Amino acid sequence: MKEGTGKTALITGASSGIGQELAKLFAQDGFDLVLVGRREETLDRLADVFRNNYGTQQITVINKDLAREDVAQELYDELQSKGITINILVNDAGASTYGKFATETEWAREKELIHLNVLTTTLLTKLFLSDMVARNEGRILQLASMVSVTPFPLMSVYAATKAYVWSLTQSLNNELKGTNVTMTALMPNATATNFFREAGAPKLVVEDMMDDPAMVAKDGYKALMKGEAKVIPGGLGNKAQELMSYVSPQEALASLMRKLLSPKHESGQDQKTPAWTVGIGIALAAVAGYALVRAYTNANPIDKARYRQQAQSLGDSASGTISSIIDSVVGTYHNGKAKVESTLA
């Protein structure tokens, strides 16, 4: 018997990207599904694929715009009226805008994304979590994103909402201790979905180093089933980025993220930069930052004062240092690649 037999998973944002890949994994494991989103035809086609390929017994498609006010309560009430018990909730649906907050983005769209990313996510969590705690059984997966712990210029409101999701998830994890209910924060890096186009962004530097949504979903699914508090999908580069966010000056992180979110035609980048080169650069910066934190922690009071004074004077240049590390790694890669190609020619 499959693990999900007799249980139901609700996935928001299931029509594409990470949400669709997660829905596939639940279907493969024998879960009944509730698929929620605005693209009803896409969800219907997806349901047919799951029935034919995996023999999914029960799939409920619900067409709702989760950015609307009170829609979370509507969704919950509809499932209650149908007698559907939700064993796993996946809050995957999300949205963003792109551009400078003061002059380029529109409040109407930002209000919708705040409603979707924060209010709807919070109320869905509250409603279904209450039932799970009453049954002493259930799991919730929250899409928090790597930018929940870093600044994200040009998508500032999106990053702020993801920081909220991250904080909420970790706080609730503490409250759930002693129960059989778990909550997992999924923290992917940039992923190869239609996210940036839907946000209205042009082609960005970061899009040359995006992760596979199937990989992200697989890592998130495994962590959810193990009841882990968080998961960072992918390799060393992604995990190093999280470490860097804790030990590096916020100004440096903001500068790095601004560079990654720059349009490709503005950055002067005319070659694809593989993800591992940026990952190594981030890893080196993270290791250096970690070493500084350890040195500061173990120092005596006089040396700590000296560290603080030096850190203040170096703060303005930290951004350039991290960028230089990454630029150096990327440059080395391209120079080596050019030499190899010249030799083979």
Side-chain angles (χ1 to χ4, degrees):
M1 182 179 294
K2 295 182 178 180
E3 182 176 357
T5 301
K7 297 180 179 180
T8 302
L10 187 163
I11 303 102
T12 67
S15 60
S16 63
I18 298 170
Q20 184 176 116
E21 296 296 335
L22 283 165
K24 184 189 300 182
L25 294 172
F26 283 111
Q28 290 173 346
D29 248 358
F31 283 88
D32 292 336
L33 301 175
V34 176
L35 308 178
V36 183
R38 293 178 300 172
R39 304 184 184 106
E40 187 172 9
E41 292 184 3
T42 301
L43 293 177
D44 284 336
R45 289 196 298 270
L46 196 61
D48 289 338
V49 170
F50 292 161
R51 292 188 187 98
N52 294 331
N53 291 356
Y54 311 122
T56 309
Q57 296 299 309
Q58 182 66 42
I59 302 178
T60 303
V61 170
I62 298 180
N63 178 24
K64 285 191 181 297
D65 179 1
L66 296 177
R68 287 195 299 106
E69 190 173 355
D70 298 328
V71 71
Q73 186 70 55
E74 290 178 13
L75 175 58
Y76 177 80
D77 291 344
E78 183 171 341
L79 293 174
Q80 288 287 100
S81 69
K82 295 178 183 291
I84 298 176
T85 298
I86 300 302
N87 305 98
I88 295 182
L89 169 65
V90 177
N91 279 316
D92 173 78
S96 182
T97 57
Y98 177 85
K100 294 180 181 178
F101 177 77
T103 58
E104 296 177 352
T105 57
E106 298 178 359
W107 168 242
R109 289 196 63 193
E110 286 166 336
K111 182 178 179 181
E112 288 182 353
L113 81 86
I114 292 171
H115 202 109
L116 173 59
N117 295 2
V118 177
L119 296 179
T120 296
T121 296
T122 303
L123 185 51
L124 285 176
T125 299
K126 188 174 187 67
L127 293 170
F128 289 106
L129 183 61
S130 297
D131 291 344
M132 291 176 183
V133 170
R135 299 193 309 267
N136 198 27
E137 172 274 331
R139 301 182 188 278
I140 297 178
L141 183 67
Q142 309 276 37
L143 195 71
S145 173
M146 183 66 75
V147 303
S148 62
V149 293
T150 67
F152 210 45
L154 302 179
M155 286 189 166
S156 55
V157 176
Y158 172 78
T161 62
K162 290 304 179 179
Y164 170 87
V165 173
W166 161 251
S167 180
L168 176 69
T169 302
Q170 298 314 309
S171 297
L172 294 182
N173 263 318
N174 179 269
E175 295 180 16
L176 292 171
K177 287 184 177 180
T179 74
N180 290 322
V181 181
T182 65
M183 191 173 298
T184 302
L186 176 57
M187 301 172 68
N189 218 321
T191 306
T193 67
N194 202 38
F195 172 77
F196 292 111
R197 298 294 82 73
E198 291 181 351
K203 265 293 193 181
L204 306 174
V205 172
V206 72
E207 293 183 68
D208 282 343
M209 52 196 77
M210 295 196 294
D211 288 333
D212 177 14
M215 178 277 292
V216 171
K218 185 176 180 180
D219 285 0
Y221 185 82
K222 287 181 178 179
L224 173 70
M225 292 308 179
K226 291 179 180 178
E228 297 177 356
K230 70 172 184 180
V231 55
I232 300 169
L236 173 64
N238 291 347
K239 293 171 177 59
Q241 185 173 327
E242 185 205 16
L243 175 60
M244 188 175 69
S245 72
Y246 300 140
V247 301
S248 300
Q250 292 294 295
E251 296 88 348
L253 290 174
S255 178
L256 172 60
M257 294 302 171
R258 175 67 178 269
K259 183 174 183 179
L260 293 176
L261 279 184
S262 297
K264 293 182 69 173
H265 64 84
E266 290 182 7
S267 70
Q269 179 178 319
D270 56 3
Q271 305 179 64
K272 279 202 170 186
T273 301
W276 66 264
T277 58
V278 176
I280 290 174
I282 291 174
L284 291 172
V287 170
Y290 180 70
L292 288 173
V293 171
R294 287 294 300 272
Y296 178 83
T297 302
N298 297 325
N300 60 49
I302 295 176
D303 287 338
K304 283 185 177 180
R306 186 179 297 114
Y307 276 127
R308 286 195 295 269
Q309 184 178 7
Q310 291 173 345
Q312 184 175 0
S313 65
L314 291 173
D316 292 337
S317 63
S319 168
T321 301
I322 291 178
S323 294
S324 295
I325 290 172
I326 294 175
D327 287 343
S328 177
V329 175
V330 172
T332 301
Y333 164 80
H334 284 311
N335 289 337
K337 179 172 178 285
K339 289 180 180 179
V340 171
E341 290 174 345
S342 176
T343 301
L344 291 177

